[in-house]
Coordinates of all heavy atoms in Angstrom, one line a residue:
M1 N -12.2 3.5 -17.0 CA -12.7 3.5 -15.6 C -11.5 3.6 -14.7 O -10.5 2.9 -14.8 CB -13.5 2.2 -15.3 CG -13.7 2.1 -13.8 SD -14.6 0.6 -13.2 CE -14.4 -0.7 -14.4
E2 N -11.6 4.5 -13.7 CA -10.6 4.7 -12.7 C -10.9 4.0 -11.5 O -12.1 4.0 -11.0 CB -10.5 6.2 -12.4 CG -9.4 6.5 -11.4 CD -9.4 8.0 -11.0 OE1 -10.0 8.8 -11.7 OE2 -8.6 8.3 -10.1
I3 N -9.9 3.4 -10.9 CA -10.1 2.7 -9.5 C -9.1 3.4 -8.6 O -7.9 3.4 -8.9 CB -9.8 1.2 -9.6 CG1 -10.8 0.5 -10.5 CG2 -9.9 0.6 -8.2 CD1 -10.6 -0.9 -10.7
K4 N -9.7 4.0 -7.5 CA -8.9 4.9 -6.7 C -8.9 4.3 -5.2 O -9.9 3.9 -4.7 CB -9.5 6.3 -6.6 CG -8.8 7.3 -5.8 CD -9.4 8.6 -5.8 CE -8.7 9.6 -4.9 NZ -9.4 10.9 -4.8
L5 N -7.7 4.2 -4.6 CA -7.6 3.8 -3.2 C -8.1 4.9 -2.4 O -7.7 6.1 -2.5 CB -6.1 3.5 -2.9 CG -5.8 3.2 -1.4 CD1 -6.4 1.8 -1.1 CD2 -4.3 3.1 -1.2
I6 N -9.2 4.6 -1.6 CA -9.8 5.7 -0.7 C -9.5 5.5 0.8 O -9.7 6.4 1.6 CB -11.3 5.8 -1.0 CG1 -12.1 4.5 -0.8 CG2 -11.5 6.3 -2.4 CD1 -13.6 4.7 -0.8
A7 N -9.1 4.2 1.2 CA -8.8 4.0 2.6 C -7.8 2.8 2.7 O -7.9 1.8 1.9 CB -10.1 3.7 3.4
E8 N -6.9 2.9 3.6 CA -6.0 1.9 3.9 C -5.6 2.0 5.4 O -5.2 3.0 5.8 CB -4.7 1.9 3.0 CG -3.7 0.8 3.2 CD -2.6 0.8 2.3 OE1 -2.4 1.9 1.5 OE2 -1.8 -0.1 2.2
N9 N -5.8 0.8 6.1 CA -5.4 0.8 7.5 C -5.1 -0.6 7.9 O -5.0 -1.5 7.0 CB -6.5 1.5 8.4 CG -7.8 0.8 8.2 OD1 -8.0 -0.4 8.0 ND2 -8.9 1.7 8.3
E10 N -5.1 -0.9 9.2 CA -4.8 -2.2 9.7 C -5.8 -3.3 9.3 O -5.6 -4.5 9.3 CB -4.5 -2.2 11.2 CG -5.8 -1.9 12.0 CD -6.2 -0.5 12.1 OE1 -5.4 0.4 11.7 OE2 -7.3 -0.2 12.6
K11 N -7.0 -2.8 9.0 CA -8.1 -3.7 8.6 C -8.0 -4.1 7.2 O -8.6 -5.2 6.8 CB -9.5 -3.0 8.8 CG -9.8 -2.8 10.3 CD -11.1 -2.3 10.7 CE -11.9 -1.4 9.8 NZ -13.2 -1.0 10.3
G12 N -7.4 -3.3 6.3 CA -7.3 -3.6 4.9 C -7.3 -2.4 4.0 O -7.0 -1.3 4.4
K13 N -7.9 -2.6 2.8 CA -7.9 -1.5 1.8 C -9.3 -1.4 1.2 O -10.0 -2.4 1.1 CB -6.9 -1.8 0.7 CG -5.5 -1.8 1.1 CD -4.6 -2.0 -0.2 CE -3.2 -2.1 0.2 NZ -2.3 -2.3 -1.0
T14 N -9.7 -0.2 0.8 CA -10.9 0.1 0.1 C -10.6 0.9 -1.1 O -10.0 1.9 -1.0 CB -11.9 0.8 1.0 OG1 -12.1 0.1 2.2 CG2 -13.2 1.1 0.3
F15 N -11.2 0.4 -2.2 CA -11.0 1.1 -3.5 C -12.4 1.6 -4.0 O -13.4 0.9 -3.8 CB -10.4 0.2 -4.6 CG -9.0 -0.2 -4.2 CD1 -8.8 -1.3 -3.5 CD2 -7.9 0.5 -4.7 CE1 -7.5 -1.7 -3.2 CE2 -6.6 0.1 -4.5 CZ -6.4 -1.0 -3.7
Q16 N -12.4 2.7 -4.6 CA -13.7 3.2 -5.2 C -13.5 3.2 -6.8 O -12.6 3.7 -7.3 CB -13.9 4.7 -4.8 CG -15.2 5.3 -5.4 CD -16.5 4.7 -4.9 OE1 -16.7 4.7 -3.7 NE2 -17.3 4.1 -5.7
A17 N -14.5 2.5 -7.4 CA -14.6 2.5 -8.8 C -15.8 3.3 -9.2 O -16.4 4.0 -8.4 CB -14.7 1.0 -9.3
D18 N -16.2 3.3 -10.5 CA -17.2 4.2 -10.9 C -18.5 4.0 -10.2 O -19.1 4.9 -9.7 CB -17.5 4.0 -12.5 CG -16.3 4.6 -13.3 OD1 -15.6 5.4 -12.8 OD2 -16.2 4.2 -14.5
K19 N -19.0 2.8 -10.1 CA -20.3 2.5 -9.5 C -20.3 1.5 -8.4 O -21.3 0.9 -8.0 CB -21.3 2.1 -10.5 CG -21.6 3.2 -11.5 CD -22.6 2.7 -12.6 CE -22.8 3.9 -13.6 NZ -23.8 3.5 -14.5
F20 N -19.1 1.2 -7.9 CA -18.9 0.1 -6.8 C -17.6 0.3 -6.0 O -16.8 1.1 -6.5 CB -19.0 -1.3 -7.4 CG -18.0 -1.6 -8.4 CD1 -16.8 -2.1 -8.1 CD2 -18.2 -1.3 -9.8 CE1 -15.8 -2.4 -9.0 CE2 -17.2 -1.6 -10.7 CZ -16.0 -2.1 -10.3
K21 N -17.5 -0.4 -4.9 CA -16.3 -0.4 -4.1 C -15.8 -1.8 -4.1 O -16.5 -2.7 -4.1 CB -16.6 0.1 -2.7 CG -17.0 1.5 -2.6 CD -17.3 1.9 -1.1 CE -17.7 3.4 -1.1 NZ -18.1 3.8 0.3
I22 N -14.4 -1.9 -4.0 CA -13.7 -3.1 -3.9 C -13.0 -3.1 -2.5 O -12.3 -2.1 -2.2 CB -12.7 -3.3 -5.0 CG1 -13.4 -3.2 -6.4 CG2 -12.0 -4.7 -4.8 CD1 -12.4 -3.1 -7.5
L23 N -13.3 -4.0 -1.7 CA -12.7 -4.0 -0.3 C -11.9 -5.3 -0.1 O -12.3 -6.4 -0.5 CB -13.8 -3.9 0.7 CG -14.6 -2.6 0.7 CD1 -15.8 -2.8 -0.1 CD2 -15.0 -2.2 2.1
Y24 N -10.8 -5.1 0.6 CA -9.9 -6.2 1.0 C -9.8 -6.1 2.5 O -9.5 -5.0 3.0 CB -8.5 -6.1 0.4 CG -8.5 -6.3 -1.1 CD1 -8.6 -5.2 -1.9 CD2 -8.5 -7.5 -1.7 CE1 -8.6 -5.3 -3.3 CE2 -8.5 -7.7 -3.1 CZ -8.5 -6.5 -3.9 OH -8.5 -6.7 -5.2
R25 N -10.1 -7.1 3.3 CA -10.1 -7.1 4.7 C -9.2 -8.3 5.2 O -9.3 -9.4 4.7 CB -11.5 -7.2 5.3 CG -12.3 -6.0 5.1 CD -11.7 -4.7 5.8 NE -12.5 -3.5 5.6 CZ -12.2 -2.6 4.7 NH1 -11.2 -2.7 3.9 NH2 -13.0 -1.5 4.6
V26 N -8.4 -8.0 6.2 CA -7.6 -9.1 6.8 C -8.4 -9.9 7.8 O -9.4 -9.4 8.4 CB -6.3 -8.5 7.4 CG1 -5.5 -7.8 6.4 CG2 -6.6 -7.6 8.6
K27 N -8.0 -11.1 8.1 CA -8.6 -12.0 9.0 C -8.9 -11.3 10.3 O -8.0 -10.6 10.8 CB -7.7 -13.2 9.2 CG -8.3 -14.3 10.1 CD -7.4 -15.4 10.3 CE -8.0 -16.4 11.3 NZ -7.2 -17.6 11.5
D28 N -10.1 -11.5 10.9 CA -10.5 -11.0 12.2 C -10.9 -9.5 12.2 O -11.3 -9.0 13.2 CB -9.5 -11.3 13.3 CG -9.4 -12.8 13.6 OD1 -10.4 -13.5 13.5 OD2 -8.3 -13.2 13.9
S29 N -10.8 -8.9 11.0 CA -11.2 -7.5 11.0 C -12.8 -7.4 10.8 O -13.4 -8.4 10.4 CB -10.5 -6.7 9.9 OG -10.9 -7.2 8.6
I30 N -13.3 -6.2 11.1 CA -14.8 -6.1 11.0 C -15.1 -4.9 10.1 O -14.4 -3.8 10.2 CB -15.4 -5.8 12.4 CG1 -15.2 -7.1 13.2 CG2 -16.8 -5.4 12.3 CD1 -15.7 -7.0 14.6
A31 N -16.0 -5.1 9.2 CA -16.6 -4.0 8.3 C -18.0 -3.8 8.7 O -18.7 -4.7 9.1 CB -16.5 -4.4 6.9
G32 N -18.5 -2.6 8.6 CA -19.8 -2.3 9.0 C -19.9 -2.0 10.5 O -19.3 -1.1 11.0
D33 N -20.7 -2.9 11.2 CA -20.9 -2.8 12.6 C -21.7 -1.5 12.9 O -21.4 -0.8 13.9 CB -19.7 -2.9 13.4 CG -19.9 -3.3 14.9 OD1 -21.0 -3.8 15.2 OD2 -19.0 -3.2 15.7
N34 N -22.7 -1.2 12.1 CA -23.5 0.0 12.3 C -24.8 -0.1 11.5 O -25.0 -1.1 10.9 CB -22.7 1.3 11.8 CG -22.3 1.2 10.4 OD1 -23.2 1.1 9.5 ND2 -21.1 1.3 10.1
E35 N -25.6 0.9 11.6 CA -26.8 0.9 10.8 C -26.9 2.2 9.9 O -27.9 2.7 9.5 CB -28.0 0.8 11.7 CG -28.1 1.8 12.8 CD -29.3 1.5 13.7 OE1 -29.5 0.4 14.1 OE2 -29.9 2.5 14.1
I36 N -25.7 2.7 9.6 CA -25.5 3.8 8.7 C -25.2 3.4 7.3 O -24.0 3.2 7.0 CB -24.5 4.8 9.3 CG1 -24.8 5.2 10.7 CG2 -24.4 6.0 8.4 CD1 -23.6 5.8 11.4
N37 N -26.2 3.1 6.5 CA -25.9 2.6 5.2 C -27.1 2.8 4.3 O -28.2 2.9 4.7 CB -25.5 1.1 5.2 CG -26.7 0.2 5.7 OD1 -27.2 0.4 6.8 ND2 -27.1 -0.7 4.8
V38 N -26.8 2.9 3.0 CA -27.8 2.8 2.0 C -28.0 1.3 1.7 O -27.3 0.5 2.2 CB -27.4 3.6 0.7 CG1 -27.2 5.0 1.0 CG2 -26.1 3.0 0.1
S39 N -29.0 1.0 0.9 CA -29.2 -0.4 0.4 C -27.9 -0.9 -0.3 O -27.4 -0.2 -1.2 CB -30.4 -0.5 -0.5 OG -30.5 -1.8 -0.9
E40 N -27.4 -2.1 0.1 CA -26.1 -2.6 -0.5 C -26.3 -4.0 -1.0 O -26.9 -4.8 -0.3 CB -25.0 -2.5 0.5 CG -24.7 -1.1 1.0 CD -23.7 -1.1 2.2 OE1 -23.7 -2.1 3.0 OE2 -22.9 -0.2 2.3
S41 N -25.7 -4.3 -2.1 CA -25.5 -5.6 -2.6 C -24.0 -6.0 -2.5 O -23.2 -5.2 -3.0 CB -25.9 -5.7 -4.1 OG -27.3 -5.4 -4.3
I42 N -23.7 -7.0 -1.8 CA -22.4 -7.4 -1.5 C -22.0 -8.7 -2.2 O -22.8 -9.7 -2.1 CB -22.1 -7.5 0.0 CG1 -22.1 -6.1 0.6 CG2 -20.7 -8.1 0.3 CD1 -23.3 -5.8 1.3
Y43 N -20.9 -8.8 -2.9 CA -20.4 -10.0 -3.5 C -19.1 -10.4 -2.9 O -18.1 -9.7 -3.1 CB -20.3 -9.8 -5.0 CG -21.6 -9.5 -5.7 CD1 -22.1 -8.2 -5.7 CD2 -22.3 -10.5 -6.3 CE1 -23.4 -8.0 -6.3 CE2 -23.6 -10.3 -6.9 CZ -24.1 -9.0 -6.8 OH -25.3 -8.8 -7.4
L44 N -19.1 -11.5 -2.1 CA -17.9 -12.0 -1.5 C -17.1 -12.7 -2.6 O -17.6 -13.7 -3.1 CB -18.2 -12.9 -0.3 CG -17.0 -13.4 0.5 CD1 -16.3 -12.3 1.2 CD2 -17.5 -14.4 1.5
I45 N -15.9 -12.3 -2.9 CA -15.1 -12.9 -4.0 C -14.2 -13.9 -3.5 O -14.0 -15.0 -4.1 CB -14.3 -11.8 -4.7 CG1 -15.3 -10.7 -5.2 CG2 -13.5 -12.3 -5.9 CD1 -16.4 -11.1 -6.1
T46 N -13.5 -13.7 -2.3 CA -12.6 -14.6 -1.8 C -12.7 -14.7 -0.3 O -13.1 -13.7 0.4 CB -11.1 -14.3 -2.1 OG1 -10.8 -13.0 -1.5 CG2 -10.8 -14.2 -3.6
G47 N -12.5 -15.9 0.3 CA -12.5 -16.1 1.7 C -13.8 -16.5 2.3 O -14.7 -16.9 1.7
S48 N -13.8 -16.3 3.7 CA -15.0 -16.7 4.5 C -15.3 -15.6 5.5 O -14.3 -15.1 6.1 CB -14.6 -18.0 5.2 OG -15.7 -18.5 6.0
A49 N -16.6 -15.4 5.7 CA -16.9 -14.3 6.6 C -18.2 -14.6 7.4 O -19.0 -15.4 7.0 CB -17.2 -13.0 5.8
K50 N -18.3 -14.0 8.6 CA -19.5 -14.1 9.5 C -20.3 -12.9 9.2 O -19.8 -11.8 9.4 CB -19.1 -14.3 10.9 CG -20.3 -14.5 11.8 CD -20.1 -14.3 13.3 CE -19.1 -15.2 13.9 NZ -19.0 -15.1 15.3
I51 N -21.5 -13.0 8.8 CA -22.4 -11.9 8.4 C -23.4 -11.8 9.5 O -24.1 -12.8 9.9 CB -23.1 -12.2 7.1 CG1 -22.1 -12.5 6.0 CG2 -24.0 -11.0 6.7 CD1 -21.0 -11.5 5.8
T52 N -23.7 -10.5 10.0 CA -24.7 -10.2 10.9 C -25.6 -9.2 10.3 O -25.2 -8.2 9.7 CB -24.2 -9.7 12.2 OG1 -23.3 -10.7 12.8 CG2 -25.3 -9.4 13.2
L53 N -26.9 -9.5 10.3 CA -27.9 -8.6 9.8 C -29.1 -8.5 10.8 O -29.7 -9.6 11.1 CB -28.5 -9.0 8.4 CG -29.6 -8.2 7.8 CD1 -29.0 -6.7 7.5 CD2 -30.0 -8.8 6.5
K54 N -29.3 -7.4 11.4 CA -30.2 -7.2 12.5 C -29.7 -8.2 13.6 O -28.6 -8.1 14.1 CB -31.6 -7.4 12.1 CG -32.1 -6.4 11.2 CD -33.6 -6.6 10.9 CE -34.1 -5.6 9.9 NZ -35.5 -5.8 9.6
D55 N -30.6 -9.2 13.9 CA -30.2 -10.1 15.0 C -29.9 -11.5 14.5 O -29.9 -12.5 15.3 CB -31.4 -10.2 16.0 CG -32.7 -10.7 15.4 OD1 -32.8 -10.8 14.2 OD2 -33.6 -11.0 16.2
K56 N -29.7 -11.7 13.2 CA -29.3 -13.0 12.6 C -27.9 -13.0 12.2 O -27.4 -12.0 11.6 CB -30.2 -13.3 11.4 CG -31.7 -13.4 11.8 CD -32.5 -13.9 10.6 CE -33.9 -14.1 11.1 NZ -34.7 -14.8 10.2
T57 N -27.2 -14.1 12.4 CA -25.8 -14.3 12.0 C -25.6 -15.6 11.3 O -26.2 -16.6 11.6 CB -24.9 -14.2 13.3 OG1 -25.1 -13.0 13.9 CG2 -23.4 -14.4 12.9
W58 N -24.8 -15.6 10.2 CA -24.5 -16.8 9.5 C -23.1 -16.7 8.8 O -22.5 -15.6 8.8 CB -25.6 -17.0 8.4 CG -25.7 -16.1 7.3 CD1 -25.1 -16.2 6.0 CD2 -26.4 -14.8 7.3 NE1 -25.4 -15.1 5.3 CE2 -26.2 -14.2 6.0 CE3 -27.1 -14.1 8.2 CZ2 -26.7 -13.0 5.7 CZ3 -27.6 -12.9 7.9 CH2 -27.4 -12.3 6.6
I59 N -22.6 -17.8 8.4 CA -21.3 -17.9 7.7 C -21.5 -18.0 6.2 O -22.3 -18.7 5.7 CB -20.5 -19.1 8.2 CG1 -20.4 -19.1 9.7 CG2 -19.2 -19.2 7.6 CD1 -19.6 -18.1 10.4
V60 N -20.7 -17.2 5.5 CA -20.7 -17.3 4.0 C -19.3 -17.6 3.5 O -18.3 -17.2 4.2 CB -21.2 -16.0 3.3 CG1 -22.7 -15.8 3.7 CG2 -20.4 -14.8 3.7
N61 N -19.2 -18.4 2.5 CA -17.9 -18.7 1.8 C -18.0 -18.2 0.4 O -19.0 -18.3 -0.3 CB -17.7 -20.2 1.9 CG -17.5 -20.7 3.3 OD1 -16.6 -20.3 4.0 ND2 -18.4 -21.6 3.7
A62 N -16.9 -17.7 -0.1 CA -16.8 -17.2 -1.5 C -16.9 -18.4 -2.4 O -16.5 -19.5 -2.1 CB -15.6 -16.4 -1.7
P63 N -17.5 -18.2 -3.6 CA -18.2 -17.0 -4.0 C -19.6 -17.0 -3.5 O -20.3 -18.0 -3.4 CB -18.2 -17.1 -5.5 CG -18.2 -18.6 -5.8 CD -17.4 -19.2 -4.7
S64 N -20.1 -15.8 -3.1 CA -21.4 -15.7 -2.5 C -21.9 -14.2 -2.6 O -21.1 -13.3 -2.7 CB -21.3 -16.1 -1.0 OG -22.6 -16.0 -0.4
N65 N -23.2 -14.0 -2.5 CA -23.7 -12.6 -2.5 C -24.8 -12.5 -1.5 O -25.5 -13.5 -1.1 CB -24.1 -12.2 -3.9 CG -25.4 -12.8 -4.3 OD1 -25.5 -14.0 -4.3 ND2 -26.3 -12.0 -4.7
F66 N -25.0 -11.3 -1.0 CA -26.0 -11.1 0.0 C -26.4 -9.6 0.0 O -25.7 -8.8 -0.6 CB -25.6 -11.5 1.4 CG -24.2 -11.1 1.8 CD1 -24.0 -9.9 2.5 CD2 -23.2 -11.9 1.5 CE1 -22.7 -9.6 2.9 CE2 -21.9 -11.6 1.9 CZ -21.7 -10.4 2.6
Q67 N -27.5 -9.2 0.6 CA -28.0 -7.9 0.6 C -28.1 -7.3 2.0 O -28.4 -8.0 2.9 CB -29.4 -7.8 0.0 CG -29.6 -8.5 -1.3 CD -29.0 -7.7 -2.4 OE1 -29.2 -6.5 -2.5 NE2 -28.3 -8.4 -3.3
F68 N -27.8 -6.0 2.1 CA -28.1 -5.2 3.4 C -29.1 -4.2 3.0 O -28.8 -3.3 2.2 CB -26.8 -4.6 3.9 CG -25.8 -5.6 4.5 CD1 -24.5 -5.3 4.4 CD2 -26.2 -6.7 5.1 CE1 -23.5 -6.1 4.9 CE2 -25.2 -7.6 5.6 CZ -23.9 -7.3 5.6
P69 N -30.3 -4.2 3.6 CA -31.3 -3.1 3.4 C -30.7 -1.8 4.0 O -29.9 -1.8 4.9 CB -32.5 -3.6 4.2 CG -32.3 -5.0 4.4 CD -30.9 -5.3 4.4
A70 N -31.2 -0.7 3.5 CA -30.8 0.6 4.0 C -31.1 0.8 5.5 O -32.1 0.2 6.0 CB -31.5 1.7 3.2
K71 N -30.3 1.5 6.2 CA -30.5 1.9 7.6 C -30.8 0.6 8.5 O -31.7 0.7 9.3 CB -31.6 2.9 7.7 CG -31.2 4.2 7.0 CD -32.3 5.2 7.1 CE -31.9 6.5 6.3 NZ -33.0 7.4 6.2
T72 N -30.1 -0.4 8.3 CA -30.3 -1.7 9.0 C -28.9 -2.1 9.6 O -27.9 -2.1 8.9 CB -30.8 -2.8 8.1 OG1 -32.0 -2.3 7.4 CG2 -31.1 -4.1 8.8
Y73 N -28.9 -2.5 10.9 CA -27.7 -3.0 11.5 C -27.1 -4.1 10.7 O -27.8 -5.1 10.4 CB -27.9 -3.4 13.0 CG -26.6 -3.9 13.6 CD1 -25.7 -3.0 14.0 CD2 -26.4 -5.3 13.6 CE1 -24.4 -3.5 14.5 CE2 -25.2 -5.7 14.1 CZ -24.2 -4.8 14.6 OH -23.0 -5.3 15.0
H74 N -25.8 -4.0 10.4 CA -25.1 -5.0 9.7 C -23.6 -5.1 10.1 O -23.1 -4.1 10.6 CB -25.2 -4.8 8.2 CG -24.5 -3.5 7.8 ND1 -25.1 -2.2 8.1 CD2 -23.4 -3.3 7.1 CE1 -24.2 -1.3 7.6 NE2 -23.2 -1.9 7.0
K75 N -23.0 -6.2 9.9 CA -21.6 -6.4 10.2 C -21.0 -7.5 9.4 O -21.7 -8.6 9.2 CB -21.4 -6.7 11.7 CG -20.0 -6.9 12.2 CD -19.8 -6.9 13.7 CE -20.4 -8.1 14.3 NZ -20.0 -8.3 15.7
I76 N -19.8 -7.4 8.9 CA -19.0 -8.4 8.2 C -17.8 -8.7 9.0 O -16.9 -7.7 9.1 CB -18.7 -8.0 6.8 CG1 -20.0 -7.7 6.0 CG2 -17.9 -9.1 6.1 CD1 -19.7 -7.2 4.6
K77 N -17.6 -9.9 9.6 CA -16.3 -10.2 10.2 C -15.6 -11.2 9.4 O -16.1 -12.2 9.0 CB -16.6 -10.8 11.6 CG -15.3 -11.2 12.3 CD -15.4 -11.7 13.7 CE -14.0 -12.0 14.2 NZ -14.1 -12.6 15.5
A78 N -14.3 -10.8 9.0 CA -13.5 -11.7 8.2 C -13.0 -12.9 9.0 O -12.3 -12.7 10.0 CB -12.3 -10.9 7.6
L79 N -13.4 -14.1 8.6 CA -12.9 -15.3 9.2 C -11.6 -15.7 8.6 O -10.8 -16.5 9.2 CB -13.9 -16.4 9.1 CG -15.3 -16.1 9.8 CD1 -16.3 -17.3 9.5 CD2 -15.1 -15.8 11.3
T80 N -11.3 -15.3 7.4 CA -10.1 -15.4 6.7 C -9.8 -14.1 6.1 O -10.6 -13.2 6.2 CB -10.1 -16.5 5.6 OG1 -11.1 -16.0 4.6 CG2 -10.6 -17.9 6.1
D81 N -8.7 -13.9 5.4 CA -8.6 -12.7 4.5 C -9.7 -12.8 3.5 O -9.9 -13.9 3.0 CB -7.2 -12.7 3.8 CG -6.0 -12.4 4.8 OD1 -6.3 -12.1 6.0 OD2 -4.9 -12.4 4.4
I82 N -10.3 -11.7 3.2 CA -11.4 -11.7 2.3 C -11.3 -10.5 1.3 O -10.7 -9.5 1.6 CB -12.8 -11.6 3.0 CG1 -13.0 -10.3 3.8 CG2 -13.1 -12.8 3.9 CD1 -14.3 -10.1 4.4
S83 N -12.0 -10.7 0.2 CA -12.2 -9.6 -0.7 C -13.7 -9.6 -1.2 O -14.3 -10.6 -1.3 CB -11.3 -9.7 -2.0 OG -11.5 -10.9 -2.7
F84 N -14.2 -8.4 -1.3 CA -15.6 -8.3 -1.7 C -15.9 -7.0 -2.4 O -15.1 -6.0 -2.4 CB -16.6 -8.5 -0.5 CG -16.4 -7.6 0.6 CD1 -17.3 -6.5 0.9 CD2 -15.4 -7.8 1.6 CE1 -17.1 -5.7 2.0 CE2 -15.3 -7.0 2.7 CZ -16.1 -5.9 2.9
I85 N -17.0 -7.0 -3.2 CA -17.4 -5.8 -4.0 C -18.8 -5.4 -3.4 O -19.6 -6.2 -3.1 CB -17.6 -6.2 -5.5 CG1 -16.2 -6.6 -6.0 CG2 -18.2 -5.0 -6.2 CD1 -16.3 -7.2 -7.4
I86 N -18.9 -4.1 -3.2 CA -20.2 -3.5 -2.7 C -20.8 -2.6 -3.8 O -20.1 -1.7 -4.3 CB -20.0 -2.6 -1.5 CG1 -19.5 -3.5 -0.3 CG2 -21.3 -1.9 -1.1 CD1 -19.2 -2.8 1.0
F87 N -22.0 -2.8 -4.2 CA -22.8 -2.0 -5.0 C -23.8 -1.3 -4.1 O -24.6 -1.9 -3.5 CB -23.6 -2.7 -6.1 CG -22.7 -3.3 -7.2 CD1 -22.1 -4.6 -7.1 CD2 -22.3 -2.6 -8.3 CE1 -21.3 -5.1 -8.0 CE2 -21.5 -3.1 -9.3 CZ -21.0 -4.3 -9.1
E88 N -23.8 0.0 -4.1 CA -24.8 0.8 -3.3 C -26.0 1.1 -4.2 O -25.8 1.6 -5.3 CB -24.2 2.1 -2.8 CG -23.0 1.8 -1.8 CD -22.4 3.1 -1.3 OE1 -22.5 4.1 -2.0 OE2 -21.7 3.0 -0.2
N89 N -27.2 0.7 -3.7 CA -28.4 0.9 -4.5 C -29.1 2.2 -4.2 O -29.0 2.7 -3.1 CB -29.3 -0.3 -4.3 CG -28.6 -1.7 -4.6 OD1 -27.9 -1.8 -5.5 ND2 -28.9 -2.6 -3.7

């Protein structure tokens, strides 16, 4: 299996593996913040994050998992440095 770096910026790094993505985000960065997505299963591996789905917001601490339905407003704000895996369904 190949794991390829596909994005790197001030927010962190994103890697693409065969059937999933591995993301590292620095504290206070935001991932998502849109409704342009397929159905996603997210596994928070390290850290703490504030999750927003539609009009609901909650805090998750690793290890944890959650789902984002397709074409639904979502946002992940890193409260600490975080790492997570995304499986697109």
